[in-house]
Amino acid sequence: MVQLIVGKKGKGKTKQLLDKVNSEVQSVSGNIVYLDKSTKHMYELNNKIRLIDVSSYLITSPEEFLGFVCGIVSQDHDLQQMYFDSFLKIACAEEAEIEPIIKKLDAIGEKFGIDFVLSISRDEAELPASLKEKIIVSL
């Protein structure tokens, strides 16, 4: 399952994402991974959450990003949730690529029982209609 936190830059999406992941860590029995564009939020995350700085891995396309995600999934059979902050940046995604990437993440999530929560710097109105049902927070 994919859930979205959406809103323009500077509206508080990262805070919402951090609050959600830190509250979920209490009730989740499996592992949680948090992907970000830097290690800036390292000390705001519970120490049971694995933070990965995606910028360290030289990802330059959505295909490479999805391969990276699949690599993480393949290495952790206890993985239950993944959080993506600054999704468009870490996935190197353009506007037209958002929907196909999220469809692929949905398929990965369903096959391996993983929930994905993404923060996207777009207004709800800018997203395709098929993604609106996935929005859990709109700022």
Side-chain angles (χ1 to χ4, degrees), residues 7 15 18 40 50-51 54-56 61-62 64 69 84 92-93 96 103 130 139:
K15 182 177 179 349
L18 289 167
K40 178 180 169 186
R50 179 165 180 214
L51 171 65
V54 177
S55 68
S56 300
S61 71
E64 289 177 3
V69 170
F84 301 160
C92 303
K103 282 184 180 178
S130 66
L139 302 169

Side-chain angles (χ1 to χ4, degrees), residues 44-114:
E44 297 171 68
L45 287 170
N46 183 299
N47 65 352
K48 294 179 183 173
I49 299 164
R50 179 165 180 214
L51 171 65
I52 299 174
D53 175 5
V54 177
S55 68
S56 300
Y57 294 92
L58 308 174
I59 293 169
T60 59
S61 71
E63 292 78 18
E64 289 177 3
F65 177 75
L66 288 168
F68 183 73
V69 170
C70 287
I72 294 168
V73 170
S74 74
Q75 292 297 306
D76 188 349
H77 298 288
D78 295 323
L79 186 59
Q80 195 169 347
Q81 294 181 342
M82 290 185 81
Y83 291 78
F84 301 160
D85 195 9
S86 304
F87 172 70
L88 297 176
K89 281 193 177 113
I90 64 173
C92 303
E94 299 295 329
E95 202 70 38
E97 297 166 316
I98 296 171
E99 192 172 16
I101 296 169
I102 291 175
K103 282 184 180 178
K104 188 79 137 209
L105 288 172
D106 249 338
I108 293 166
E110 189 160 323
K111 181 168 184 159
F112 297 102
I114 299 168

Side-chain angles (χ1 to χ4, degrees), residues 5-6 10-11 13 25 27 43 48 50 57-58 61 84 94 98 105 109 116-117 127:
I5 297 174
V6 300
K11 292 290 185 180
K13 294 178 301 301
V25 78
S27 61
Y43 299 109
K48 294 179 183 173
R50 179 165 180 214
Y57 294 92
L58 308 174
S61 71
F84 301 160
E94 299 295 329
I98 296 171
L105 288 172
F116 296 97
V117 182
L127 294 174

Side-chain angles (χ1 to χ4, degrees), residues 2 20 30 37 60 74 97 111 120 128 134:
V2 175
K20 181 165 178 52
K37 64 182 186 281
T60 59
S74 74
E97 297 166 316
K111 181 168 184 159
I120 300 180
K134 298 181 178 307

